[in-house]
Amino acid sequence: MKQSANHVLSPVLHRLDVGLFVRAQALLDEEWLARDAELAPLLPVVLARGVGQDWHKAGTFRHHLVGVARSLALWKQPKDIRLLGLLHSVYGNAFVDLVKFDASSERGNLQALAGEGAEHLVYLFCTMSRTQFVQKLLAGELAADGSLTLEKNGPEPRQTITLTAYEVAAFAIVSMADSIEQWFSWQEDIYSRFPAVDASRPQGVHWAASLWPGPMRPSSRMLSQISALGHALQHPALKSQLPLPPVFAHCSQPLAASDEAAATALYWAVIQQDMPLVDLDVATATLEQAVRLNPWVGEPQMVLAQLYLSAGRAQDAALAAESALQCFSAWGNAWDKRVQWDAWMAWTRILLQSAQEGGWPQRLDKLNNMALR
């Protein structure tokens, strides 16, 4: 990490990992999955089950499954884990009623397509209590050998299962990718304080929260939970099971819930232009503080880079844009879901190019002409 030229005011920023960025670039093309020799054979089968038409949070079910698989590919996860990401809800689960394969009659079909190891992980992930999994992992209830005992979904009395250390690591990593791909303000309200959701709240009373997609504000709670799931992977029995995701400094740094909440509020205040609009000093200071509190997502840093360019601070803009690009490259999904990950990547690269080459337009209408070279 590095500081910008303005050491007093500016936040700590990240250096770009070129190898990570190159991996991310390869995933920008919508056809990346069709070129993945290990995942591509499953794609027609999954699409044939109508996933491209099913609603899912901020997009379609296809968009969600591909987005989760994209993060796992970026994080260099092995074949079975990437297949788990692509298929992680196809048997349905306690959170969604989408059932694309009948677990009572089609497990053999999926085993033939994905392999027994991957199908076993998919089946466990769909049938275990994911609420209990998150709660116990966050509470540090792992055994010394990394195993975790919890209940399966279903009516009482529920069956108890014990996950191995490998399964715990796999499900933690897939849960991180699953959450970052889908979570935003609408889901944060209807599933408020997940995993401790109050199931007694009537929809009619909370009608304003129910209106989809809502304001599309980034989550104020989920990112700190994802950081805690990642930090659980530092358990001695889990740390070497699978490649650690590159987010949060390879899952070594926590994000406090209070810092996440404050950073999101500060970022959204700038996006909503809830501050002085004639000069940009207040918006810049607000975003700098947001990045200090939460330096792990790219969107605040990207907007900060554009403010620096508007102020003629090309060196600071280059540092902020490079740091934003590193964050986007580490996640493979957008935190702010108003536009998709590839669009955030593209505009950030334009900002970095402009800062490095001195090509930021003085005329407002010329922003429409911006293009990568």
Side-chain angles (χ1 to χ4, degrees), residues 101-170:
F101 288 83
D102 186 343
S104 67
S105 61
E106 293 190 278
R107 289 193 64 187
N109 294 339
L110 200 56
Q111 288 171 357
L113 291 165
E116 290 187 9
E119 190 278 334
H120 170 74
L121 292 174
V122 173
Y123 179 76
L124 272 183
F125 195 72
C126 289
T127 56
M128 73 177 187
S129 171
R130 288 174 59 189
T131 296
Q132 273 193 14
F133 175 77
V134 173
Q135 288 172 329
K136 291 193 171 193
L137 203 58
L138 296 182
E141 296 183 19
L142 290 168
D145 64 356
S147 63
L148 183 65
T149 299
L150 43 77
E151 294 176 341
K152 294 184 71 173
N153 293 323
E156 298 283 359
R158 296 187 182 96
Q159 180 183 349
T160 297
I161 57 173
T162 299
L163 304 178
T164 67
Y166 180 83
E167 290 164 350
V168 171

Side-chain angles (χ1 to χ4, degrees), residues 306 310 347 359-370:
Q306 182 163 342
S310 296
W347 186 247
W360 193 245
Q362 297 300 306
R363 283 171 42 187
L364 182 63
D365 65 306
K366 285 298 181 180
L367 287 173
N368 196 64
N369 294 59
M370 301 302 290

Side-chain angles (χ1 to χ4, degrees), residues 131-213:
T131 296
Q132 273 193 14
F133 175 77
V134 173
Q135 288 172 329
K136 291 193 171 193
L137 203 58
L138 296 182
E141 296 183 19
L142 290 168
D145 64 356
S147 63
L148 183 65
T149 299
L150 43 77
E151 294 176 341
K152 294 184 71 173
N153 293 323
E156 298 283 359
R158 296 187 182 96
Q159 180 183 349
T160 297
I161 57 173
T162 299
L163 304 178
T164 67
Y166 180 83
E167 290 164 350
V168 171
F171 296 161
I173 291 170
V174 172
S175 294
M176 292 170 69
D178 180 47
S179 296
I180 193 60
E181 194 287 324
Q182 66 179 288
W183 220 268
F184 68 111
S185 57
W186 180 82
Q187 192 171 12
E188 182 169 66
D189 277 340
I190 64 165
Y191 256 30
S192 185
R193 295 188 177 276
F194 175 83
V197 178
D198 181 354
S200 68
R201 288 191 176 114
Q203 186 276 144
V205 173
H206 297 279
W207 64 267
S210 76
L211 296 177
W212 184 87

